[in-house]
Amino acid sequence: MSAKNSSPDELYMARAIELAYRGLYSTMPNPRVGCVLVRDDAVLGEGWHVRAGEGHAEVNAIASAQAAGHELVGATAYVTLEPCSHLGKTPPCCEALINAGVGRVVAAMEDPNPLVAGRGLQALRDAGIKVESGLLNEEAQAINPGFIKRMHSGLPLLRCKLAMSLDGRTAMASGESQWITGSEARSDVQQLRARSCAVLSGIDTVISDDAALTVRAVQLNLDNAEDIARRQPLRVVLDSNLRLPVDCNLLAQKGPVIVATANSDSGKQQALELAGAEVLCLPNDQGQVDLLAVLTVLAERQCNEVLLEAGATLAGAALQAGLIDELVVYMAPTLLGSNARPLIQLPLSSMSEQQRLEITGMVAVGHDWRITARPVKGDH
């Protein structure tokens, strides 16, 4: 958005969106929200939601204004998401805005949460506050894609991370793959993990790499890396036959682990549970783990964004099932050759079967490129 051609309302809302992104790695399962309080073209207070159970953006903005000695009667509140009207872990934000004497509220979007869903804006109107909604709506939705999808569909947003050579290969025929990409790209992946509620992988990937799937502060390349890494995402392993070793690196790390299986072997389950894992038996008709059932469970546990870090087989199965919302592909300037493993296993036989993608972003990350794309559904 060009500041030169923007209205004051747009500039203040853009600032609220900027503030909301400060909660990118910490607000889950709550949405990321920012708020700016303005009167007579002067910013009185700013706030954003930091983490669940603590003050929401509006409450924090009001507190910052009051701490600076500002009265808020007649002020305008610019909020990236409709203020909540229900009592959760904190009091309703509508009530805080009304009590502060705010005269106008501009919300970028309505809250998709059925507990709110327009009720917050109506409560403000009923209190005599002027209400507007929809300013920079698209930009506001981009802050919380997983939360919005979970509220609308009952499933989390599934983001699939892949790394490949310039010739579209991910590993040598032997399975050797470390490292295709450089340290900057690996740091970028750490940031994807940190913003996710859960990291999902297959048993072959976990065993071959002895993967921990954790967020590591030393690799985050962020100012507040230590604080971010204190919250570890839920780690989920798809393990149809319970092959996960109890002495693996993944179970040796702190943080919750789910092993999703199709195997009802009570002895193996008990051994994994004693090692700290939660085992869920979620078989499909083919005797494999039902990926849709896994995602449904994660949504029920309030997971908004799930990062799939897997090999070609699982990535291909998720893509064919229509479960992947976004692909993040790191392309390295190297060639692995025709004997190396492909990026995704897709047994297609004709051009009419091809899976088209919409590229939404492409940026250099160190010596590599990060390509972000969405699967095109329906007619190609």
Side-chain angles (χ1 to χ4, degrees):
M1 183 180 69
S2 171
K4 183 177 179 181
N5 300 317
S6 301
S7 68
D9 280 348
E10 289 174 327
L11 291 174
Y12 293 130
M13 185 61 78
R15 174 58 179 167
I17 289 171
E18 181 182 341
L19 292 169
Y21 275 109
R22 295 189 182 182
L24 183 65
Y25 303 108
S26 60
T27 65
M28 54 282 281
N30 290 354
R32 302 140 184 155
V33 184
C35 177
V36 177
L37 297 169
V38 179
R39 186 179 57 222
D40 299 330
D41 295 325
V43 174
L44 306 179
E46 295 182 338
W48 64 94
H49 184 42
V50 178
R51 60 180 53 86
E54 297 184 7
H56 288 189
E58 300 91 325
V59 172
N60 290 338
I62 291 170
S64 75
Q66 292 175 339
H70 296 304
E71 287 290 337
L72 294 174
V73 175
T76 295
Y78 297 88
V79 192
T80 58
L81 185 70
E82 173 185 2
C84 62
S85 56
H86 64 289
L87 179 63
K89 292 182 179 179
T90 60
C93 293
C94 283
E95 185 178 304
L97 291 169
I98 293 168
N99 292 339
V102 168
R104 177 177 174 239
V105 172
V106 181
M109 61 175 288
E110 289 191 7
D111 193 332
N113 186 343
L115 294 175
V116 185
R119 295 183 181 88
L121 298 180
Q122 189 57 51
L124 294 170
R125 292 189 185 98
D126 291 344
I129 295 174
K130 183 179 179 181
V131 174
E132 300 169 27
S133 180
L135 181 66
L136 301 189
N137 179 277
E138 187 174 330
E139 292 86 344
Q141 290 193 45
I143 310 170
N144 295 298
F147 177 78
I148 293 170
K149 185 187 176 187
R150 179 166 67 88
M151 289 298 133
H152 284 160
S153 71
L155 291 173
L157 179 137
L158 184 62
R159 178 180 289 118
C160 181
K161 165 261 168 182
L162 298 162
M164 71 176 188
S165 61
L166 191 60
D167 52 351
R169 305 290 173 163
T170 62
M172 304 308 292
S174 64
E176 181 185 0
S177 63
Q178 295 180 327
W179 295 99
I180 296 175
T181 56
S183 59
E184 293 91 341
R186 295 196 294 275
S187 175
D188 207 62
V189 172
Q190 284 287 311
Q191 293 177 22
L192 284 180
R193 285 184 187 176
R195 69 173 288 172
S196 303
C197 296
V199 177
L200 177 66
S201 193
I203 185 61
D204 289 333
T205 297
V206 172
I207 289 178
S208 63
D209 296 341
D210 197 16
L213 303 178
T214 51
V215 174
R216 295 182 282 278
V218 69
Q219 291 183 330
L220 271 175
N221 196 27
L222 295 169
D223 291 339
N224 54 340
E226 292 289 345
D227 186 48
I228 291 171
R230 287 191 183 95
R231 186 206 69 85
Q232 289 293 330
L234 171 65
R235 290 165 295 153
V236 184
V237 182
L238 304 190
D239 184 7
S240 294
N241 295 307
L242 291 178
R243 293 189 289 129
L244 185 68
V246 293
D247 60 350
C248 65
N249 190 26
L250 185 137
L251 292 175
Q253 308 300 317
K254 293 181 179 180
V257 173
I258 288 178
V259 177
T261 186
N263 190 320
S264 58
D265 186 314
S266 60
K268 290 182 178 180
Q269 287 191 27
Q270 185 178 26
L272 286 169
E273 288 167 352
L274 288 172
E278 177 184 0
V279 180
L280 299 178
C281 193
L282 300 169
N284 61 18
D285 294 338
Q286 291 76 46
Q288 300 172 321
V289 176
D290 188 326
L291 183 52
L292 178 59
V294 171
L295 294 176
T296 300
V297 168
L298 293 180
E300 290 170 352
R301 299 189 182 196
Q302 297 185 299
C303 288
N304 296 326
E305 298 178 24
V306 175
L307 181 63
L308 175 62
E309 295 192 50
T313 302
L314 179 53
L319 188 60
Q320 284 190 298
L323 297 175
I324 293 178
D325 298 289
E326 183 177 86
L327 289 161
V328 181
V329 182
Y330 295 88
M331 185 173 68
T334 189
L335 302 172
L336 296 185
S338 57
N339 291 332
R341 299 182 181 183
L343 181 69
I344 296 178
Q345 289 284 1
L346 284 177
L348 309 180
S349 57
S350 67
M351 288 294 288
S352 63
E353 296 177 283
Q354 65 182 291
Q355 172 63 66
R356 300 291 298 180
L357 303 174
E358 176 190 357
I359 294 179
T360 58
M362 185 178 294
V363 63
V365 181
H367 296 296
D368 307 308
W369 285 90
R370 183 184 69 217
I371 303 167
T372 307
R374 287 195 292 258
V376 176
K377 299 181 180 179
D379 294 336
H380 298 159

